[in-house]
Structures are given as structure tokens and as C-alpha cells.
């Protein structure tokens, strides 16, 4: 395919070609970043929480009776909840992934050290590991005699006395890269705490930067404030039924309380990511809309040109060009125009990404997105121009003898 | 002439129906998406207290220690004050009105056996709060500074909670039990939900109906009610609510004219220096006074996702515009022959320009109408979101007109370049090549 006549013909429509290339460039820049944002947010939503999400039901109970002993209250509640048919395990906890109840401590490996590293403290009654369905990679669960109250009445002083902890693999890797964390010591409070186990995941109640989302520490500390979260484990199909029973069971035991957030863990996760889902939907719509409008622009312009050039196409056909030549001509022309848009488009994509990085905390656009975006737009252009190009190829040679 | 060009435009547009429809669709989508987001952001950046906001200010005193290291930048001060600072500002009484406040959530225990106890969000405030913010009372009123000092058990209810507890009559003089304490209702507000809830800490619950009750701050502190919101401490020692190294209180002042605002800013600087002599406020003196609207902008009351959605919509509109310009250009230039004939027969450039201008305006008006429909659909979908701002997403007359103007303006702008190019066609050259 000789390029010279092709370029010569394009220079006759400089402004139009420029506009189309500009459109392709803008689309390329926006779509690359939009797709990147979609991938980012999807990855955020896909993060494993570490718990058996399909089998958990939770409820918050806030006791209103000032005088009562919270530890006894929780024990009695747990005993009653355990008796609900279909419930296999129960625990009282203070924090869960996505529930927003985040108590983070600075984690040092030496006493009284300043540290930038923080990890969420997740505390619960005996059997929390099994109830949540956490996956122990190495080490052991807490022993019954290791449990002590959190002492929430005195600034949660339990953290200064707790003997052992189980941490997540991400935290273990951050604290002791390349070594086993078992038996090592950390300082979440005033005193050393020995690591006796490592779980694969336990997401924090709030999400922050990707790297630190899984920095959690489990302590054998019993929640002892009036405000507590009960977690019940049951078969996935039993969850709704169990959920309906919980409030009655607890209120029968003691009605002087407020129950909140009775929900399955799946609902908790869905609510947490609701805004993300809306945003992903909008981003998808925007990307689809942009590609559609650009395809429309390419196809529309091509069909104008085909109509305009019917006579010259006829002449070319009359002097020996095959249908295939005509088809190739239009496809090649489109390839050039789209290519002319993609090159500045990629630069623009990068610039847009820099702007997003400063204003919306988006990470840097991986280089791979640019060639993929370019290929996508080339493909889009070729498909969009195919219809008009086929119509051009169908122009009979006899058009050469007719006026427009 | 106008009618004739209009008829010509319709005829020309009819000739390529599909393409015309697609152009109208593209401009409609672009306008619709943009106007949806512009409307949402417009209603969200509205003035929560029209006519009154210019006199309201947030003083900002940063009592934190010097930054620990240069590498980890600590966050900008969030405007919260410590208890001693808030009380000092309150007692020196330098502004026309001033109030300290903080959000809280307490269990309410209705007297009726039919109602179970329930949690309600509210605010613990000091006496000037209601008069300073011009809160409309349906009955009764606020409390006095003496009530504050005596830790009076008094409460002001917002309309919704009053309805829930006492039905349609204001429950003035009646008793509400919060946690384990009885409070006497002294005032009932008339559906007071400023949007956003500007006086509270800015967070993702700044829009929507929030506070249902207001009670004296000192009373809440004495009864150890639960506070919500950011509570930040530094240094060593017990981090109690009344300590001088924990910030958690919001503070607002009313200053009736710019001269007073200026004087108050000077006073804040003096306060900072005076505290430095007591070994507090180690950072260089930098007392700030923010106006209400500036404060909301600074605290980014509009969620960043929404701003991103606006940029996305505008980007989309931009691409649609370039698209329309390109298509119209190709379309008009294709009619160079027709233009040349008209020019040869005596039409002036301005006539040609007008003819094509009208044709693009027709597309614009049609796109604008479609854009309005799409914007209404878009706003409807925003209203389905469970966020607090959802119910605000209504189009007012100004935005309606704005949408339409934007559509026509955008398409006429898009038609300008193609029409100009078309009227520059050289008739002789075109006619000869035919």
C-alpha cells in the first residue's frame, strides 16, 4: 500500500483529520485512566477479609444497665445464642473487617520505641478464631488460661498485660521479613507480647493504603464494655432464619439494651463497598460511552468521505483497483488517523494520571495500560470504519463516468 | 429568511437520519451527564445558612507539638480545639456570639412501653449555639449561659424526635430520659437540618438529616455521655476529655463586621503567644479565622468521588463536542458544491454562515431537550443512592435553564468552526471541479 497518495488525500482534510485525531487522543487518555480506576477499585473490593464470609451473622448489643457486669452479660448471651438451632459457633468481639470499629496500636519490636507501623487490635472471647473461620498458617490458637479482660474502663489497660498474640501474615512479613514470626516478641503496649500464631488474612475494620490493610493483631482479651458485637457461625442457607431469631433470644434474656446492625457478613461487606460499586458502574458507563461516541465519530466521518469520493473510487476501480484495494485504502487511512491520535493520547493519559495522582490518590498508571489502550482504539477504529469501507468497495467502476 | 433556513436545516438533517440521531444522542448524553453532576455539586456547595453565613467563623489554633520528623508530614489541623482552649475562648467572650460543640450519640428511653430504647445522634453545645445559627424554634427556646455552668438537665429536640416521642404537639416542659438521666425539654426546633451540617466535623455524614437533639456540653461531660468524632491526643499523661493535649471540640464565633473579624484574628494571635508563655502551643504563631463557606471548601465537604464524577462527565462532554465539530465539519464541507452555487447566485458569506449556524443550533436544541431528560434520569438515579446528599439532588429553575443554555451554547460553539469553514469555500474553484 503506497502511503504517498493516502497522505496527500488526508492533507486535503487537515482540519477534519485533526479533530478526529484529537477525539481519539482524548478518548485514549480518559479510557486508559478510567479502566485503571476500575481495576483499582475492583481489586480493593476483592480483598479477602480472612473470615468465613458466607457463614457469619453479626449483631451489636449495647447494654443500658449501668450496674451490670459486662463479662457475665456476654457469657450469658453467648450461651443463649449458642443454643439457637443451626448455630455452630459464637463469639463476642470488638472489631470485624468492614465494621469501622478500629482500635489501632503502634507496633514496635523493641520496648518504648517510636514506630510508624500501626495494626488493629482484634479482641474476642475464646473460640473467636474458629467462629470467624480464620485460617491459621502456623502456630496455635489461644489457650483458655491466656484470656483476660480488655479493661476498657481504664483506657483498655489489658493491652499492657496480655501475654500472647496471633498476627496476620502480612504483618509478620512486615515485622520480620524472611523469618518465621513464631515465638518473636512485639510491643503493642508497655510490655512484650509473644507471637504464638500467624493467620493468612484478617482485614482491618477501616481500609487505608493497600499495603497496610491486612495489618491486624488478635489478642486473647475479653470485650468488657457495654457495647459488644456478637458473631454467629451457621450454614449459608440458615443465615436469614438465625438472623430473625437473634433479637428475640437476646431480648428475652434482658430487654434493657439496644440491638443494632443485625446483618449477615455479606451485607456488611456489600454496604462497605456500596459507593465503590456505584463508582465502578459510572466509570464503566463513561468508558463505554466514550468508546461509543468515538466509534460513532469515526464511522460517521468515514461514511461522509465515502459519499464524497464515490467518483474517484469509481475511477480507481475503472483503472484496475480491486475491491480489496479500496477496502484496504480506507482501513489504512483510518489506521493512520487513529495512530496520529494515539501518540499524543498516550502522553495525555500519562499527564491525566499525574493529575489524578495528586488530587485523587490514584497510584501511577502502569506502563502496560498504554499499549493495550492503543491497540484497543486501533481495533475500535478498524471495526468502526469497516461498514463505510465495505460500502466504498461496493462502488461500481461505472461511477467514474457519472457526476456526483 | 430565518424560517427558510430552518426548513433547509431540517431537510438536510433528514437526509442522513441515523447520523443526525447519533449526533443528537451524543450531545444529549454529554449534556445530560454534565448537568447531572453540575446540579449535584451545585446543590451540595450551597449556603447552609443564607444571609447569615458571612458573619460566622471558625477559629483555628494548633496546639500540637512540633512535627516529629520532616519525612512524615502530619495532617493539616482539623480545627478542633482542646477543652481548656475552648473554655478560654468562651469565657473571654470576645466575639459577638460564640459556642463550643461536639457530636454525640445517646440511647433514648421513651416513657411509652410500646417504644424500645433507641440511639439518636445529636450535639452537645453551649448556650449561644441557637441564636448564633439562627435556629428556628417551633416552641420554647434554648438555654442560658447559667444553665451551662450549672450543668442543667435541659434539652432541645429537633422536630423528628419530638414527633416520635410526643406526637404533633411540642413536648415543652416534658421529660426525656437519655441513658440514665432525665432531661426537661425547653425547646423544639422546626425541622432544622442545615445542608451540609456545617457546624459538625466534616465527614461522609455531613449531608442528610442528622442531629435530633441538643443539650448542654458541660452536662454531657459531667454525665460521661458518649462523644463521637475525631479525638486526637499527643504526648504523655492521661488523655482525658478535659486535658490540654487532646483536641475534639468544634468552636464557632459570630463576628458582625469585617473590623470585628480582624480584631478577633489579632486576639487569637495574642492568645497563642500568651499560651506560649505557659509552655503550650510550641508551633510558630499561626492563628487562622475561616469564614463558613471557606471552611466548608477547605474541609472538602463534597466527597472526592463526586468531584471525580463531575470531571468524568465534563471529559465526556468534551469528547462529544469534538466529535460533533468533526462530523458537522465533514457534513458541511461535503456540501461545498451547494454552497458554491448559492454563493455564485449572490448569497453572501454571512448568509451561508447563518444557514449552517441554524442547522447546528437545531441539533443543539434537540440535544439540549434530550440532555434535560437524561439529566433528570441521572438525578433520579442519584436520589436512589443511600447517601445523605441524595435527597438534595433536585433540579431547580436556574439549573433547568442552565442545562438548556449549555446545550445550545455547546452546539452553536460546535457548529461555529464548521460553518465558518463552509462559508470560506471558494465558489469558482468548487464549481470548476464539479
Amino acid at each position: 500500500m503506497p502511503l504517498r497518495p493516502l497522505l496527500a488525500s488526508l492533507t486535503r482534510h487537515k482540519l477534519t483529520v485533526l479533530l478526529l485525531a484529537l477525539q481519539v487522543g482524548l478518548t485514549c487518555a480518559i479510557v486508559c485512566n478510567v479502566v485503571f480506576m476500575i481495576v483499582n477499585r475492583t481489586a480493593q473490593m476483592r480483598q479477602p477479609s480472612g473470615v468465613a464470609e458466607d457463614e457469619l451473622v453479626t449483631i451489636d448489643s449495647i447494654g443500658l444497665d449501668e450496674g451490670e457486669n459486662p463479662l457475665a452479660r456476654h457469657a450469658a448471651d453467648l450461651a443463649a445464642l449458642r443454643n439457637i438451632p443451626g448455630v455452630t459457633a459464637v463469639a463476642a468481639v470488638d472489631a470485624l473487617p468492614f465494621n469501622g470499629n478500629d482500635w489501632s496500636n503502634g507496633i514496635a519490636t523493641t520496648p518504648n520505641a517510636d514506630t510508624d507501623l500501626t495494626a488493629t487490635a482484634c479482641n474476642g472471647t475464646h473460640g473467636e478464631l474458629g467462629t470467624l473461620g480464620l485460617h491459621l498458617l502456623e502456630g496455635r490458637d489461644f489457650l483458655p488460661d491466656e484470656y483476660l479482660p480488655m479493661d476498657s474502663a481504664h483506657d483498655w489497660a489489658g493491652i499492657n498485660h496480655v501475654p500472647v498474640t496471633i498476627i496476620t501474615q502480612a504483618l509478620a512479613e512486615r515485622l520480620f521479613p524472611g523469618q518465621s514470626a513464631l515465638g518473636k516478641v512485639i510491643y503493642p503496649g508497655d510490655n512484650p507480647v509473644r507471637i504464638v500464631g500467624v493467620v493468612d488474612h484478617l482485614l482491618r475494620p477501616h481500609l487505608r493504603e493497600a499495603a497496610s490493610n491486612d495489618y491486624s493483631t488478635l489478642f486473647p482479651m475479653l470485650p468488657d464494655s457495654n457495647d459488644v458485637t456478637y458473631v454467629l457461625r451457621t450454614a449459608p442457607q440458615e443465615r436469614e432464619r438465625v438472623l430473625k431469631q437473634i433479637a428475640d433470644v437476646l431480648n428475652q434474656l434482658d430487654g434493657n439494651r439496644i440491638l443494632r446492625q443485625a446483618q449477615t457478613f455479606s451485607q456488611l461487606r456489600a454496604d462497605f463497598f456500596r459507593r465503590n460499586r456505584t463508582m465502578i458502574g459510572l466509570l464503566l458507563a463513561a468508558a463505554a460511552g466514550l468508546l461509543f461516541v468515538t466509534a460513532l465519530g469515526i464511522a460517521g466521518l468515514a461514511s461522509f468521505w465515502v459519499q464524497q469520493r464515490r467518483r474517484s473510487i469509481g475511477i480507481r476501480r475503472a483503472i484496475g483497483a480491486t475491491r480489496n484495494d479500496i477496502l484496504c485504502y480506507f482501513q489504512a487511512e483510518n489506521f493512520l488517523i487513529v495512530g496520529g491520535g494515539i501518540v499524543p493520547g498516550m502522553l495525555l493519559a500519562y499527564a491525566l494520571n499525574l493529575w489524578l495522582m495528586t488530587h485523587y490518590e490514584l497510584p501511577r498508571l502502569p506502563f502496560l495500560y498504554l499499549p493495550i489502550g492503543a491497540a484497543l482504539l486501533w481495533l475500535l477504529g478498524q471495526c468502526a470504519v469497516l461498514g463505510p469501507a465495505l460500502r466504498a468497495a461496493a462502488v461500481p467502476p461505472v461511477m467514474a463516468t457519472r457526476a456526483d | 429568511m430565518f424560517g427558510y433556513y430552518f426548513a433547509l436545516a431540517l431537510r438536510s438533517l433528514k437526509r442522513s437520519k441515523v447520523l443526525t440521531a447519533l449526533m443528537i444522542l451524543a450531545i444529549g448524553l454529554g449534556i445530560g451527564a454534565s448537568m447531572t453532576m453540575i446540579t449535584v455539586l451545585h446543590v451540595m456547595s450551597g449556603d447552609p445558612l443564607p444571609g447569615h453565613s458571612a458573619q460566622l467563623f471558625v477559629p483555628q489554633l494548633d496546639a500540637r507539638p512540633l512535627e516529629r520528623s520532616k519525612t512524615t508530614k502530619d495532617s493539616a489541623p482539623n480545627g478542633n480545639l482542646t477543652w481548656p482552649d475552648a473554655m478560654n475562648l468562651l469565657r473571654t467572650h470576645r466575639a459577638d456570639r460564640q459556642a463550643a460543640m461536639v457530636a454525640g450519640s445517646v440511647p433514648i428511653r421513651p416513657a411509652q412501653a410500646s417504644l424500645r430504647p433507641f440511639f439518636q445522634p445529636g450535639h452537645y453545645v453551649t448556650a449561644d449555639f441557637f441564636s448564633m445559627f439562627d435556629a428556628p424554634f417551633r416552641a420554647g427556646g434554648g438555654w442560658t449561659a447559667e444553665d451551662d455552668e450549672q450543668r442543667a438537665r435541659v434539652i432541645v429536640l429537633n422536630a423528628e424526635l419530638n414527633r416520635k416521642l410526643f406526637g404533633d404537639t411540642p413536648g415543652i416542659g416534658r421529660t426525656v430520659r437519655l441513658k440514665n438521666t432525665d432531661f426537661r425539654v425547653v425547646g423544639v426546633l422546626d425541622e432544622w437540618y442545615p445542608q451540609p451540617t456545617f457546624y459538625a466535623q466534616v465527614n461522609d455524614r455531613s449531608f442528610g438529616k442528622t442531629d435530633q437533639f441538643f443539650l448542654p456540653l458541660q452536662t454531657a461531660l459531667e454525665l460521661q455521655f458518649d462523644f463521637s468524632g475525631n479525638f486526637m491526643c499527643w504526648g504523655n499523661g492521661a488523655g482525658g476529655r478535659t486535658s490540654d493535649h487532646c483536641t475534639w471540640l468544634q468552636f464557632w464565633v459570630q463576628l458582625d463586621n469585617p473590623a470585628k473579624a480582624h480584631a478577633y484574628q489579632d486576639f487569637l494571635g495574642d492568645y497563642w503567644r500568651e499560651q506560649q508563655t505557659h509552655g503550650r502551643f510550641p508551633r510558630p504563631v499561626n492563628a487562622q479565622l475561616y469564614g463558613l463557606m471557606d471552611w466548608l471548601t477547605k474541609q472538602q465537604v463534597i466527597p472526592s468521588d463526586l468531584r471525580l464524577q463531575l470531571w468524568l462527565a465534563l471529559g465526556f462532554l468534551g469528547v462529544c463536542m469534538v466529535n460533533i465539530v468533526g462530523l458537522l465539519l465533514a457534513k458541511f464541507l461535503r456540501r461545498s458544491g451547494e454552497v458554491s452555487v448559492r454563493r455564485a447566485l449572490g448569497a453572501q458569506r454571512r448568509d451561508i454562515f447563518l444557514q449552517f449556524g441554524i442547522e447546528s443550533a437545531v441539533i443543539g436544541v434537540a440535544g439540549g431537550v434530550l440532555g434535560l431528560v437524561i439529566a433528570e434520569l441521572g438525578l433520579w438515579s442519584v436520589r436512589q443512592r443511600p447517601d445523605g446528599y441524595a435527597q438534595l439532588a433536585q433540579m431547580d429553575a436556574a439549573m433547568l435553564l442552565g442545562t438548556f443554555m449549555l446545550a445550545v451554547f455547546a452546539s452553536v460553539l460546535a457548529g461555529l468552526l464548521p460553518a465558518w469553514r463552509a462559508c470560506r469555500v471558494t465558489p469558482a474553484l468548487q464549481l470548476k471541479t464539479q
Side-chain angles (χ1 to χ4, degrees), chain B residues 285-303:
Chain B
V285 178
N286 180 26
Q288 300 282 341
L289 193 63
Y290 291 97
L292 193 157
M293 296 309 285
D294 290 343
W295 178 247
L296 291 180
T297 312
K298 184 176 178 292
Q299 293 292 304
Q300 303 204 323
V301 73
I302 294 174

Side-chain angles (χ1 to χ4, degrees), chain B residues 40-119:
Chain B
V40 169
L41 268 77
H42 166 76
V43 293
M44 286 179 78
S45 33
D47 190 337
L49 289 185
H52 209 65
S53 53
Q55 282 97 47
L56 296 173
F57 297 87
V58 178
Q60 185 176 286
L61 298 168
D62 191 0
R64 295 178 299 175
L66 296 167
E67 283 181 61
R68 252 195 297 178
S69 65
K70 290 221 162 56
T71 47
T72 53
K73 252 188 82 188
D74 58 14
S75 50
N78 54 12
N80 290 350
L81 299 184
T82 64
W83 176 265
D85 293 322
M87 289 303 118
N88 287 343
L89 293 190
L90 209 57
R91 283 177 190 136
T92 43
H93 226 279
R94 285 299 187 90
D96 293 304
R97 290 188 175 109
Q98 51 255 303
M101 62 206 72
V102 68
S105 183
V106 293
I108 296 189
R109 307 168 84 168
Q112 302 96 308
S114 57
L115 276 178
R116 290 198 55 78
F118 56 94
F119 268 95

Side-chain angles (χ1 to χ4, degrees), chain A residues 15-16 19 22-23 26-27 30 34 37 41 62 64 66 114 116 251 255-258 260 274-275 278-279 282-283 286 289-290 292-294 296-297 300-301 304 307-308 355-356 360, chain B residues 19 22-23 25-26 68 72 105 107 109 116-119 179-180 204 304-305 307-309 311-312 315-316 319-320 322-323 325-327 329-331 333-334 385-387 417 421 433:
Chain A
L15 196 59
T16 320
L19 282 168
L22 177 66
Q23 188 186 349
L26 282 174
T27 305
I30 300 178
V34 163
M37 282 191 266
R41 286 179 185 249
I62 299 112
L64 296 177
E66 298 281 312
D114 253 356
D116 292 337
N251 279 329
N256 201 8
R257 62 167 115 211
I258 296 177
R260 292 201 291 193
R274 187 175 42 72
R275 290 197 180 92
T278 310
M279 197 65 199
L282 288 175
L283 289 169
L290 278 171
F292 167 75
V293 167
T294 301
L296 157 73
L301 220 52
F304 276 133
Q307 283 172 17
Q308 199 171 17
W355 182 79
L356 286 169
Y360 295 96
Chain B
L19 203 82
L22 288 175
M23 279 200 275
L25 182 67
R68 252 195 297 178
T72 53
S105 183
R109 307 168 84 168
R116 290 198 55 78
F118 56 94
F119 268 95
K179 219 170 164 183
N180 294 313
D204 58 358
S304 70
D305 267 6
R307 279 180 289 133
L308 196 60
Q309 285 166 25
W311 285 114
L312 205 59
F316 183 64
V319 171
C320 286
V322 176
N323 185 43
V325 176
L327 285 179
L329 187 65
K331 188 167 186 193
L333 285 184
R334 212 187 111 223
R385 297 182 189 174
D387 298 280
L417 179 78
R421 281 288 284 124
T433 54

Side-chain angles (χ1 to χ4, degrees), chain B residues 13-285:
Chain B
L13 291 174
K14 260 190 218 151
R15 222 177 299 155
S16 42
K17 281 201 196 84
V18 179
L19 203 82
T20 305
L22 288 175
M23 279 200 275
I24 292 176
L25 182 67
I27 207 160
L29 281 174
I31 298 277
S34 302
M35 284 318 293
T36 303
M37 290 324 297
I38 291 176
T39 305
V40 169
L41 268 77
H42 166 76
V43 293
M44 286 179 78
S45 33
D47 190 337
L49 289 185
H52 209 65
S53 53
Q55 282 97 47
L56 296 173
F57 297 87
V58 178
Q60 185 176 286
L61 298 168
D62 191 0
R64 295 178 299 175
L66 296 167
E67 283 181 61
R68 252 195 297 178
S69 65
K70 290 221 162 56
T71 47
T72 53
K73 252 188 82 188
D74 58 14
S75 50
N78 54 12
N80 290 350
L81 299 184
T82 64
W83 176 265
D85 293 322
M87 289 303 118
N88 287 343
L89 293 190
L90 209 57
R91 283 177 190 136
T92 43
H93 226 279
R94 285 299 187 90
D96 293 304
R97 290 188 175 109
Q98 51 255 303
M101 62 206 72
V102 68
S105 183
V106 293
I108 296 189
R109 307 168 84 168
Q112 302 96 308
S114 57
L115 276 178
R116 290 198 55 78
F118 56 94
F119 268 95
Q120 284 285 283
H123 249 74
Y124 314 135
V125 306
T126 54
D128 276 357
F129 180 89
F130 304 100
S131 52
M132 180 163 69
F133 294 147
D134 230 0
F137 278 95
R138 226 173 82 200
W143 57 83
T144 61
E146 287 85 68
D147 289 332
D148 273 337
E149 293 299 329
Q150 289 161 11
R151 288 134 178 80
R153 279 28 174 178
V154 291
I155 190 168
V156 168
L157 301 180
N158 215 336
E160 205 167 282
L161 181 58
N162 182 74
R163 202 173 305 124
K164 198 164 176 177
L165 293 175
F166 306 117
D168 285 332
T169 49
I172 302 291
R174 295 177 68 171
T175 302
V176 185
R177 191 164 180 76
L178 305 188
K179 219 170 164 183
N180 294 313
T181 311
D182 283 335
F183 282 75
R184 184 168 49 87
V185 179
V186 292
V188 175
L189 289 171
D190 196 10
E191 306 276 353
W192 191 59
Y193 305 104
Q195 296 297 314
T197 315
F198 65 93
Y199 53 82
Q201 265 177 30
V202 170
N203 58 24
D204 58 358
R205 287 184 296 280
S206 288
F207 290 90
K209 291 185 176 181
T210 48
D211 290 329
Q212 290 302 336
F213 68 85
F214 301 87
L215 57 89
L217 176 63
Q218 274 102 325
T219 310
L221 197 70
E222 185 180 73
L223 294 171
Q224 296 194 318
F225 277 3
D226 288 328
F227 299 90
S228 30
N230 187 298
F231 179 68
M232 192 193 67
C233 297
W234 58 86
N236 297 317
R241 288 278 164 186
T242 51
S243 80
D244 65 357
H245 52 268
C246 292
T247 60
W248 54 287
L249 285 156
Q250 290 84 57
F251 200 89
W252 286 81
V253 295
Q254 178 183 336
L255 301 160
D256 290 336
N257 57 50
K260 284 183 177 174
H262 203 79
Y264 198 80
Q265 181 139 21
D266 291 343
F267 158 69
L268 289 175
D270 294 341
Y271 178 78
W272 191 307
R273 274 181 285 273
E274 186 218 313
Q275 289 295 313
Q276 280 181 332
T277 62
H278 296 105
R280 298 184 65 224
F281 288 87
R283 298 190 179 208
V285 178

Side-chain angles (χ1 to χ4, degrees), chain A residues 225-245:
Chain A
S225 68
N226 289 335
D227 187 345
V228 71
T229 302
Y230 294 124
V231 186
L232 293 77
R233 189 160 179 185
T234 180
Q237 68 277 8
E238 302 275 2
R239 282 178 298 175
E240 291 302 327
R241 183 183 57 77
V242 169
L243 203 53
K244 287 201 188 83
Q245 276 177 276

Side-chain angles (χ1 to χ4, degrees), chain B residues 361-377:
Chain B
V362 168
I363 293 182
V365 171
V369 172
L370 183 67
L372 266 185
V373 175
I374 292 176
E376 283 295 349
L377 271 176

